[in-house]
Amino acid sequence: MYDVPDQSGKLVVVTGANSGTGKEAAKRLAAAGARVVLAVRTPAKGAAARAEILAEQPDAQLEVRRIDLADLASVQEFAEKLAADEQHLDLLVNNAGVMTPPARMTTKDGFELQFGSNYLGPFALTVRLLPLILAAPAPRIATMSSGAAYLGRIGFDNLQWERRYRPTSAYAQSKLADLMLSNHLAKLSVDRDWGLVSVAAHPGYTRTNLQTAGAALGRERPSLLNRLMMRYNPLPKQDVEIGTEPLLYAAADPAAKSGEYYGPAGRFGLVGPTTLVRNPKSATDPELNARLWQVSEGLTGVSLPSILRK
């Protein structure tokens, strides 16, 4: 089991912290001494996760705050309230996501659900929180991508999947975009001397509710085919305690390097201990990353404050 380095005195925000890798990351960062904000869409679920963590870690410092990454107004409200209450934010963990809804759905702002929730919402949150993050002594952002990013491409002519929606391809695009965001932040930090460490990770094939929740969106439950595939899938799988460790390494380990990508070292890159993994070629293209950033600013209406553009 990965031993999270001491996080005493640090303020951490973890999105999607009510279940899966988000809850596990929040629990272990809090156990290492961090004060952790559980950033969740449903406060009741966040409160339940908080109670569960406190049952194991009675001294954990945990706070629940609401954010809906599929609603840019909610993202703005979260960021503004946090900035009003805190002097700095040491670590942002972009973890929340949705996976492969069977039919095309949209966010409150009209974006395709996966691109909006998995990428544009976290993009807007990250940019809005950057001044607060950069005020920290050792600012850091950890972003959860996916092995699906290797199969992704950024279709600038069809970002919202208004034509030929394919659930898996849309998911892969959104997770590639997350990786490109992380890498572009790392480059901006070097170019502008921010001192920010931006690191990405993926969990391999980890048992969480992500697959079942996504497959059931728009339905009462996943289809019979989805349920059979999830039950009898022969691929190697791992529990959430191990699957969260690449994200924890990206978030907290002094050896994790800005602009790098970490994931499981075992079979097919799906299970096992954390290792440095290869970035998809498209995620290392500075011009492509910058183009996606520019497009994202236009779509969200969120851009770097002038003081950070220098």
Side-chain angles (χ1 to χ4, degrees):
M1 186 74 72
Y2 175 65
D3 187 15
V4 178
D6 182 34
Q7 301 293 297
S8 297
K10 292 186 178 182
L11 175 64
V12 176
V13 167
V14 180
T15 65
N18 60 281
S19 66
T21 55
K23 183 171 69 175
E24 181 68 15
K27 179 177 73 174
R28 288 164 70 176
L29 288 165
R35 180 162 60 97
V36 181
V37 175
L38 310 179
V40 299
R41 185 178 61 182
T42 307
K45 292 182 179 180
R50 180 178 182 273
E52 185 179 328
I53 295 170
L54 285 172
E56 296 184 41
Q57 304 286 342
D59 296 328
Q61 301 176 74
L62 302 166
E63 177 186 356
V64 177
R65 292 192 182 222
R66 183 183 185 277
I67 186 171
D68 183 353
L69 291 165
D71 179 356
L72 292 177
S74 174
V75 172
Q76 180 176 358
E77 181 181 16
F78 177 93
E80 289 178 348
K81 286 184 176 179
L82 191 69
D85 293 341
E86 303 292 346
Q87 295 297 312
H88 67 263
L89 174 61
D90 297 275
L91 169 65
L92 170 63
V93 181
N94 285 317
N95 164 81
V98 62
M99 183 177 181
T100 61
R104 184 181 182 275
M105 303 174 70
T106 57
T107 69
K108 188 171 182 179
D109 303 286
F111 305 125
E112 186 273 319
L113 184 63
Q114 295 184 91
F115 193 66
S117 296
N118 295 356
Y119 171 68
L120 289 175
F123 169 86
L125 177 65
T126 299
V127 175
R128 287 193 180 278
L129 287 178
L130 261 178
L132 195 66
I133 295 168
L134 295 181
R140 193 164 183 141
I141 297 172
T143 299
M144 183 71 98
S145 182
S146 166
Y150 292 112
L151 306 175
R153 62 174 295 273
I154 305 299
F156 285 104
D157 61 341
N158 191 29
L159 280 174
Q160 308 304 331
W161 293 91
E162 294 167 313
R163 305 186 307 276
R164 303 182 305 278
Y165 174 74
R166 296 192 296 274
T168 302
S169 297
Y171 179 71
Q173 175 186 256
S174 72
K175 301 314 288 183
L176 174 60
D178 284 334
L179 192 49
M180 293 165 70
L181 167 63
S182 181
N183 291 343
H184 191 62
L185 281 168
K187 183 177 186 302
L188 286 175
S189 178
V190 171
D191 292 346
R192 301 179 187 188
D193 197 26
W194 287 348
L196 171 72
V197 173
S198 176
V199 191
H202 79 82
Y205 195 162
T206 295
R207 297 183 185 93
T208 70
N209 67 351
L210 184 64
Q211 296 92 346
T212 53
L217 279 172
R219 302 176 176 176
E220 291 186 3
R221 61 188 303 199
S223 68
L224 175 61
L225 178 60
N226 279 118
R227 282 181 278 139
L228 288 172
M229 287 178 65
M230 286 183 282
R231 183 171 181 178
Y232 297 109
N233 191 325
L235 291 173
K237 309 173 187 66
Q238 60 189 4
D239 291 332
V240 71
E241 292 81 4
I242 302 300
T244 306
E245 293 190 347
L247 182 63
L248 287 167
Y249 187 88
D253 202 287
K257 296 181 180 179
S258 191
E260 297 288 14
Y261 190 28
Y262 295 89
R267 291 176 59 199
F268 311 122
L270 297 176
V271 296
T274 299
T275 190
L276 178 67
V277 296
R278 175 183 58 84
N279 262 287
K281 184 177 180 180
S282 53
T284 62
D285 183 333
E287 292 185 3
L288 191 64
N289 293 348
R291 181 184 177 190
L292 179 63
W293 181 285
Q294 184 178 28
V295 168
S296 304
E297 287 185 332
L299 290 171
T300 63
V302 179
S303 58
L304 291 174
S306 57
I307 193 171
L308 295 181
R309 288 182 173 273
K310 299 176 181 178

